[in-house]
Amino acid sequence: MQTSFDSTLASLGINRSNAGPQVQTASKLDTLTSSDFIKLLTAQLQNQDPTDPVDATAQLTQLAQFSQVSGLNDINTTLKAIQDQLNAKGSATGTADALSYVGHNVLVAGDTAYPRTTGGIAGSVELGSDATDVRLSIQSPDGTILKSISLGAQARGTASFDWDGITDGGADAGPGPYKVVVAANNAGKAVAAQSLVWAPVTSVSIPATGSPILSLPGLGRISAADVREVG
């Protein structure tokens, strides 16, 4: 049965239906939009007592208060979006974490490395399965082998290496950059192997979606989600 209150709401374009139960979240039930507020204010004006009209100052005060609350809600929504951007960014590594990487070294998959201030490079080899023989060579940009390193037998996972910057001939290898080439096998059968190198983070860019992007000398742009370790 439609009441006079229902008729008033209907004339304003607001329908109150008793057709059946509707599931609404608490947040929706507690939400009053600016459109709803204007409709209620209009209803108040249309149904006021002509001999005792609503005080215009009171109406303006209500409108100002609503605008203030609406503005605060917008600010809260914006701050929440910023917080989500900083904390998660849709990945395991958040924006705040990625920004803190600037000026630090990170361990990532790659085959180009610049020497430390003390000379040489350090890194790791990532193995897809156990290997009976793991070898790597440090090469100059033109492919000349500067140093050959044997890591022997290694279990599946990560094996570290550290080179002092001295060539097989006993000379200083120079300023680099160096190319790291890895080969691994298990009783003569090739094993998947990936070189991991340390590189300094020079800058961080924040895309609209996805993980932050790190800029690394010699390696280019790398997703922060691909960082194995931070030094």
Side-chain angles (χ1 to χ4, degrees):
M1 179 178 179
Q2 190 178 54
T3 65
S4 59
F5 179 65
D6 291 323
S7 299
T8 301
L9 290 180
S11 68
L12 296 172
I14 302 175
N15 296 319
R16 188 176 67 161
S17 173
N18 294 322
Q22 295 183 354
V23 178
Q24 293 185 353
T25 63
S27 61
K28 288 185 177 179
L29 291 173
D30 292 338
T31 300
L32 178 65
T33 66
S34 58
S35 178
D36 294 333
F37 181 81
I38 295 300
K39 288 180 179 179
L40 290 174
L41 185 60
T42 302
Q44 184 180 25
L45 292 173
Q46 289 177 339
N47 294 278
Q48 66 181 333
D49 185 351
T51 63
D52 184 22
V54 177
D55 182 22
T57 301
Q59 291 179 335
L60 290 176
T61 300
Q62 292 175 3
L63 185 58
Q65 290 174 340
F66 181 83
S67 297
Q68 183 179 28
V69 172
S70 179
L72 289 174
N73 288 336
D74 290 342
I75 292 174
N76 287 337
T77 300
T78 301
L79 290 177
K80 179 63 168 57
I82 293 174
Q83 183 182 37
D84 292 342
Q85 176 91 350
L86 291 174
N87 291 339
K89 198 56 183 176
S91 69
T93 303
T95 302
D97 290 335
L99 291 175
S100 70
Y101 293 169
V102 176
H104 291 270
N105 292 320
V106 293
L107 184 66
V108 296
D111 60 3
T112 301
Y114 285 83
R116 299 165 293 201
T117 55
T118 56
I121 61 172
S124 300
V125 176
E126 203 168 60
L127 300 170
S129 60
D130 295 346
T132 55
D133 184 34
V134 179
R135 297 175 181 273
L136 60 91
S137 64
I138 312 297
Q139 303 178 3
S140 63
D142 64 4
T144 301
I145 297 177
L146 303 173
K147 181 71 176 181
S148 296
I149 300 174
S150 174
L151 299 181
Q154 297 289 338
R156 175 185 177 182
T158 303
S160 299
F161 68 87
D162 195 317
W163 173 52
D164 60 7
I166 302 302
T167 68
D168 286 330
D172 185 287
Y178 309 121
K179 185 176 179 64
V180 180
V181 179
V182 180
N185 70 82
N186 191 335
K189 185 177 180 180
V191 171
Q194 171 68 60
S195 58
L196 306 178
V197 296
W198 289 96
V201 179
T202 57
S203 65
V204 176
S205 60
I206 312 299
T209 59
S211 298
I213 303 298
L214 313 180
S215 293
L216 310 177
L219 299 176
R221 294 162 59 81
I222 302 294
S223 171
D226 293 332
V227 171
R228 305 294 203 280
E229 189 176 341
V230 181

